[in-house]
């Protein structure tokens, strides 16, 4: 039996060395409304109240400790419920490449470069924070959908953006 968890979903990227876990950041995971996609995208930054932020840090560190994760990247998914953050899943690996790209753009932190540097005994890469807001959307078309060249050539309209 599983508990139904309701609230914002987060993907949390962390990096561990010698059993010390450092949260690199998190992104809001945009859930899909159906079974075709696990998520429709991710957004950074996502603000958390200080008490929730501290609870997220404690939960991720506790889960990594319990699993024996001591070194390298990790990817944890959780849901912020009215009773605090609840674990969905965790992995002893970085998130998908597109999520790593979002962290590079927003925070200047590259989980893959951190892992490579640690494995080779090199200093950590220099952080170069960039864009204040980044996001990614996965597109899913119904089976058999064909997009015409005319549709592809039409410029997209973005609310709140000009340039």
């Amino acid at each position: 039996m599983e508990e139904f968890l309701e609230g914002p979903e987060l993907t949390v990227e962390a990096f561990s060395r010698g059993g010390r876990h450092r949260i690199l950041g998190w992104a809001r995971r945009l859930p899909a409304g159906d079974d075709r996609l696990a998520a429709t995208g991710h957004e950074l930054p996502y603000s958390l109240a200080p008490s929730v932020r501290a609870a997220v840090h404690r939960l991720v560190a506790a889960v990594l400790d319990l699993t024996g994760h001591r070194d390298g990247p990790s990817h944890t998914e959780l849901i912020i419920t009215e009773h605090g953050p609840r674990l969905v899943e965790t992995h002893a690996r970085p998130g998908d490449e597109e999520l790593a790209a979002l962290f590079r753009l927003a925070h200047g932190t590259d989980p893959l470069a951190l892992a490579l540097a640690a494995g080779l005994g090199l200093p950590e890469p220099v952080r170069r924070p960039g864009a204040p807001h980044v996001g990614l959307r996965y597109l899913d078309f119904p089976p058999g959908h064909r997009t015409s060249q005319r549709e592809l050539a039409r410029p997209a309209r973005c609310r709140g953006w000009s340039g």
Side-chain angles (χ1 to χ4, degrees):
M1 178 185 302
E2 293 182 2
E3 178 184 7
F4 177 74
L5 302 173
E6 191 170 24
E9 298 182 25
L10 296 184
T11 58
V12 181
E13 299 299 308
F15 192 78
S16 305
R17 280 189 110 159
R20 294 180 55 101
H21 314 295
R22 179 176 58 173
I23 303 296
L24 302 176
W26 52 81
R28 168 94 189 263
R29 184 175 178 273
L30 304 172
D34 57 38
D35 294 335
R36 291 184 302 178
L37 288 175
T40 59
H42 299 275
E43 296 177 337
L44 284 103
Y46 184 70
S47 296
L48 297 174
S51 62
V52 175
R53 180 185 318 217
V56 165
H57 281 250
R58 285 192 307 272
L59 176 62
V60 171
V63 167
L64 294 175
D65 284 343
L66 285 170
T67 61
H69 185 73
R70 297 192 41 80
D71 293 290
S74 63
H75 171 84
T76 303
E77 296 180 12
L78 49 89
I79 296 176
I80 306 297
T81 71
E82 62 182 25
H83 304 292
R86 298 294 185 258
L87 178 68
V88 174
E89 63 187 41
T90 193
H91 305 276
R93 60 160 176 77
D96 294 333
E97 173 54 33
E98 61 269 16
L99 195 55
L102 290 181
F103 278 81
R104 279 193 301 274
L105 287 170
H107 300 305
T109 303
D110 186 338
L112 301 173
L114 281 170
L116 186 60
L120 295 174
L122 299 172
E124 286 190 2
V126 176
R127 285 185 65 227
R128 289 184 169 70
H133 302 282
V134 295
L136 133 77
R137 295 293 182 274
Y138 301 109
L139 301 177
D140 185 38
F141 297 104
H145 177 83
R146 295 183 58 97
T147 304
S148 71
Q149 289 297 327
R150 185 177 187 152
E151 286 177 302
L152 292 174
R154 185 176 29 199
R157 299 191 185 267
C158 299
R159 185 175 25 196
W161 180 80
S162 64

